[in-house]
Amino acid sequence: MQTHGSDRRFGEDIATLYQDLLVPLIFAPYARDLASRLASLPAGRVLELAAGTGAVTRELSARLPPGAEIVATDLNETMLAVAQRQGTPGPVVWQQADAMALPFDDASFDAVACQFGTMFFPDKAQAFAEARRVLRPGGTLLFSVWDRIETNDFAWVIQEAVAGVFPEDPPRFLERLPHGYCARDAIARDLAQGGFRGPPAIRTVVAESAAATPAIPAAAYCQGTPLRNEIVARDATRLEAATEAAIAAIAARFGTGRVTGRIQALVVGIAR
């Protein structure tokens, strides 16, 4: 999969909008799902990779039994700063870390979790190898990735609307990265290359995304993700035009008031 430097830049503006708009729009239901799965495991010490602004971290802190230790990491310190400002019900260790070179001892965690971050790892097999290394024997790696963009209503409609603003060079960040790692055979292959044995359990999880107005998903995707970087790189004066095009497209498809759309992801689990 092709990668671009702008794909991984989450500056302060993007991180704040990500937390305020994207987390309640699309991440919250999957954070609850992932945390509930982890809470059913014997996990006294949990490592979270690519924690972002802490959607899963907060759920884990609320759901794991007293005494469980959570270490939440992300490569982007700006995202972690926003996460820490949100607070958590219980204690969390926050640490900047690269998923492909984890600064932790071998066999030091009962579970490793990652919500919608795996797609951003440049070398997924290496990241999986690192996750396996820090897992104790019998420990679990559990992560989620978005399914195809066509199965995620708002993302699909917004990508096509923004493409219409830049027809000669349409931004494809959403399809290329967040929705670009959903082939089950590729996931299984990368896990095997990372040292995991046996087939992973891969489940399709469908949920609903809802917003009070079409402007919320439009701003969330156009200004709260690195899609913003692609728009600005083409023409910095057209960020608002791209957002307005997304608003119009959402309104045309889902209505001008409260809007709801399908979201779909894959949840992957495998034991060490």
Side-chain angles (χ1 to χ4, degrees):
M1 179 172 58
Q2 186 179 6
T3 58
H4 298 249
S6 64
D7 289 340
R8 295 175 178 81
R9 290 208 308 270
F10 286 80
E12 181 70 30
D13 290 344
I14 290 180
T16 300
L17 286 170
Y18 178 104
Q19 169 58 37
D20 292 346
L21 300 182
L22 269 179
V23 167
L25 184 71
I26 60 173
F27 292 129
Y30 290 104
R32 292 189 292 269
D33 176 86
L34 203 68
S36 67
R37 295 176 192 272
L38 281 162
S40 69
L41 300 174
R45 192 165 192 247
V46 177
L47 172 64
E48 185 183 358
L49 306 177
T53 60
V56 171
T57 320
R58 291 185 289 276
E59 291 291 336
L60 286 175
S61 181
R63 292 169 183 258
L64 292 183
E69 182 181 354
I70 302 167
V71 180
T73 68
D74 199 284
L75 183 63
N76 190 302
E77 292 179 293
T78 301
M79 298 289 274
L80 286 179
V82 173
Q84 291 179 74
R85 288 201 295 269
Q86 307 306 307
T88 54
V92 171
V93 176
W94 301 95
Q95 184 169 339
Q96 190 274 340
D98 185 345
M100 293 183 296
L102 293 172
F104 305 109
D105 293 338
D106 294 358
S108 55
F109 291 93
D110 301 300
V112 175
C114 183
Q115 175 174 255
F116 303 125
T118 308
M119 308 89 72
F120 291 87
F121 300 156
D123 187 337
K124 294 168 182 58
Q126 174 61 24
F128 292 147
E130 278 292 277
R132 184 180 184 277
R133 179 183 65 78
V134 302
L135 276 172
R136 293 171 179 145
T140 300
L141 170 63
L142 190 65
F143 64 94
S144 55
V145 295
W146 291 114
D147 208 341
R148 294 177 302 111
I149 193 169
E150 295 87 349
T151 66
N152 287 266
D153 289 341
F154 292 156
W156 174 243
V157 170
I158 289 168
Q159 174 174 269
E160 296 310 294
V162 173
V165 178
F166 301 97
E168 295 182 359
D169 185 18
R172 295 292 181 187
F173 164 77
L174 296 176
E175 182 175 5
R176 183 178 64 252
L177 251 182
H179 296 275
Y181 188 59
C182 51
R184 294 174 182 239
D185 57 347
I187 293 170
R189 181 196 65 226
D190 290 340
L191 285 165
Q193 290 179 354
F196 285 92
R197 299 290 176 258
I202 303 179
R203 301 172 178 86
T204 300
V205 180
V206 179
E208 182 180 82
S209 180
T213 70
I216 292 174
Y221 281 97
C222 292
Q223 301 188 26
T225 77
L227 175 60
R228 175 183 185 142
N229 299 332
E230 287 198 347
I231 293 169
V232 169
R234 285 158 176 76
D235 187 341
T237 68
R238 307 201 71 189
L239 178 60
E240 288 303 323
T243 306
E244 289 297 327
I247 293 172
I250 292 289
R253 172 82 178 270
F254 301 102
T256 57
R258 184 177 186 272
V259 292
T260 61
R262 173 191 178 101
I263 45 178
Q264 184 165 308
L266 304 179
V267 177
V268 184
I270 193 166
R272 185 188 188 283

